[in-house]
Every structure is written in structure tokens, then in C-alpha cells.
Amino acid sequence: MPHSAEIVKDVVDQFQKIQTHMKNAKKENAVETYEGLKQDYLSLKAILNSLGVNLTDIDRIKE
């Protein structure tokens, strides 16, 4: 079973990748893609919040 620090690192990495894809989708005006990514973003954000991760510095989307 993965250590909690490994889980947090994995989720933070996923969160950062989703944000990058969201920014690209928004720039390309890919509305449906953006909305799909937003669902993943919100799920990951909820997980990080439940793990006690401070999102102040890593949340670039802020939705």
C-alpha cells in the first residue's frame, strides 16, 4: 500500500497536469474539453482538500 506522502504527491501531480490542460483548452476555446477537465479538476481539488493540502500556491485556475 502506498505511503500517504506518495498519494499526496501523485494527486498534486495530477492536479497540476489537469490545470495545464484546462489552460490550453481555454486558450483554444475548446469548451467541451474544458468542461470535462473541470470535472476532474474539481474531484482532485476535493481529494487534496480532504488530505489537508493547502491549495493557495498550486491552484492556478481557482474555480
Side-chain angles (χ1 to χ4, degrees):
M1 181 164 196
H3 190 271
S4 62
E6 293 171 0
I7 294 169
V8 170
K9 182 190 178 314
D10 181 53
V11 177
V12 167
D13 289 345
Q14 291 178 46
F15 187 69
Q16 291 174 328
K17 286 178 187 176
I18 287 290
Q19 289 185 98
T20 299
H21 292 305
M22 286 176 74
K23 285 186 170 222
N24 290 338
K26 193 166 208 164
K27 184 169 55 173
E28 295 170 1
N29 202 29
V31 176
E32 289 182 31
T33 301
Y34 184 88
E35 288 303 316
L37 290 166
K38 184 177 176 181
Q39 294 304 312
D40 293 337
Y41 162 83
L42 292 173
S43 296
L44 291 168
K45 189 172 182 175
I47 292 168
L48 290 170
N49 278 323
S50 73
L51 293 170
V53 175
N54 183 346
L55 299 175
T56 304
D57 292 333
I58 65 170
D59 188 359
R60 296 174 291 165
I61 303 294
K62 306 209 187 306
E63 283 192 23

